Amino acid sequence: MTAINKCLFPVAGYGTRFLPATKAIPKEMFPILNKPLLQHGVEEALSAGINNMAIVTGRGKRAIEDHFDNAFELEAQLKNTPNEHYLKDIRNVIEKATFSYVRQKKMLGLGDAISTGKTLIGNEAFAVILPDDLCANSGDSVLAQMIELHKDYPDCCIVAVEEVSKEEVGKYGIVEIEAISNIAKNMQNFAFKITNMIEKPTQKESPSNLAIIGRYILTPDIFDILEKTNPDNNGEIQITDALLALAKKGKVIAYKFKGKRFDCGSVKGFVVATNYFAKAEGLI
Ligand code: G1P
């Protein structure tokens, strides 16, 4: 059994960058090929041995709940027909996972979304997946890799990081790192202690070009810290700011994951991801 039992998905956001498509459809329901982004995320959590999905949702996102539920009419219609196989993947997800939901009342940032999920998580370490960041791997998924690392550092939070160009640092949480003493040889080039982290820095103030991507393992002490974290200039509570308090105590690890990641929160990244998966499936 894994020490991480729950995965939180903050999906209450408006999807502004995708308007007008997101006016009535949650962006997490946009498909990469035939599968919604959120289902890709849930399948990644399942592949990492996590069966309980904690979804922080919002107004106008009911399609998400319906997606991860049985659709009796559809099931009945397709039963014993040549089309039944189309339901295989989603049936598998519904069978293996539990889904609990809580609504974020106001859009006050990722930190607030994670705080809202506290009631679903309780007092245990948990994973977070931002489904906008779609990851592809030939081997273990990014979350599975992080859970493996968490076994050696159960008291630490872990964030997935990758290098971005100088021009892009302002879109991400950026970290400053140093080597971890006595780290296992196979992790030497992959896991580092975070000494500083800044949310969406200017190029000038950016401590590096190592960006946080949407995969986290968080220890439950984050909830108390989030409560004390001040909102930023836009009135949003940032998980990066809360994590900095733990980083100062040497309790946050940056993990350079193996695999590819696509920013599906932007139209361009979404198209790139679609092309990548279409090619991988031999469709184009
Ligand atoms: C959030 C986090 C940021 C992180 C990013 C990854 O930003 O606040 O630290 O780098 O996700 O996608 P958002 O994309 O929600 O603005």
Side-chain angles (χ1 to χ4, degrees):
M1 196 175 120
T2 156
I4 304 285
N5 300 308
K6 295 178 184 168
C7 185
L8 189 146
F9 295 85
V11 294
Y14 295 127
T16 319
R17 284 185 289 168
F18 258 105
L19 280 168
T22 42
K23 233 185 125 193
I25 301 170
K27 70 172 170 181
E28 297 77 18
M29 290 303 295
F30 288 3
I32 297 290
L33 305 190
N34 60 342
K35 200 176 280 181
L37 273 175
L38 184 53
Q39 189 178 335
H40 283 279
V42 167
E43 288 183 3
E44 181 176 336
L46 282 170
S47 82
I50 302 177
N51 293 79
N52 302 300
M53 313 302 157
I55 313 226
V56 178
T57 178
R59 285 182 296 284
K61 300 236 170 181
R62 264 180 292 181
I64 292 175
E65 287 159 55
D66 291 339
H67 184 72
F68 294 108
D69 196 358
N70 291 315
F72 289 109
E73 265 184 41
L74 189 64
E75 291 280 344
Q77 286 278 342
L78 298 192
K79 203 167 173 57
N80 300 327
T81 74
N83 287 334
E84 195 174 1
H85 66 97
Y86 287 118
L87 287 171
K88 191 173 121 260
D89 285 354
I90 186 64
R91 266 187 193 157
N92 188 36
V93 166
I94 293 171
E95 224 163 79
K96 287 198 177 133
T98 71
F99 294 87
S100 21
Y101 298 87
V102 61
R103 282 192 181 194
Q104 191 179 1
K105 291 178 196 136
K106 284 187 185 164
M107 298 306 118
L108 294 177
L110 180 55
D112 180 68
I114 292 174
S115 281
T116 304
K118 179 181 177 183
T119 178
L120 303 176
I121 299 293
N123 190 28
E124 55 185 273
F126 60 103
V128 177
I129 288 183
L130 310 186
D132 276 4
D133 280 331
L134 177 60
C135 293
N137 296 84
S138 45
D140 283 350
S141 67
V142 175
L143 200 57
Q145 295 167 38
M146 291 167 76
I147 284 178
E148 213 34 53
L149 179 63
H150 175 74
K151 289 179 186 159
D152 290 338
Y153 299 95
D155 299 332
C156 289
C157 293
I158 304 175
V159 300
V161 296
E162 76 174 358
E163 284 180 16
V164 297
S165 68
K166 256 201 335 237
E167 291 69 34
E168 283 187 314
V169 291
K171 292 187 355 196
Y172 298 95
I174 302 291
V175 303
E176 192 175 345
I177 56 171
E178 67 179 33
I180 300 175
S181 45
N182 304 323
I183 188 156
K185 259 219 156 74
N186 63 338
M187 278 291 165
Q188 253 166 25
N189 298 320
F190 298 98
F192 301 86
K193 186 158 82 181
I194 295 184
T195 53
N196 190 16
M197 52 206 303
I198 309 181
E199 181 68 11
K200 307 201 170 83
T202 62
Q203 278 188 40
K204 220 166 142 204
E205 66 190 355
S206 191
S208 77
N209 66 337
L210 265 188
I212 300 170
I213 68 118
R215 300 291 180 279
Y216 303 76
I217 290 179
L218 301 176
T219 49
D221 46 352
I222 200 70
F223 290 124
D224 282 345
I225 299 170
L226 276 167
E227 263 174 38
K228 292 180 203 126
T229 302
N230 290 323
D232 65 8
N233 293 338
N234 300 318
E236 295 193 346
I237 296 170
Q238 298 300 343
I239 187 66
T240 307
D241 294 340
L243 281 169
L244 178 59
L246 288 173
K248 283 184 183 151
K249 296 183 192 158
K251 295 255 172 174
V252 188
I253 293 173
Y255 175 63
K256 291 187 184 174
F257 59 94
K258 298 176 198 115
K260 273 183 101 51
R261 164 259 173 186
F262 302 94
D263 170 20
C264 292
S266 74
V267 175
K268 185 179 167 191
F270 192 89
V271 172
V272 173
T274 300
N275 273 316
Y276 176 90
F277 282 91
K279 275 193 189 131
E281 292 286 320
L283 295 175
I284 53 174

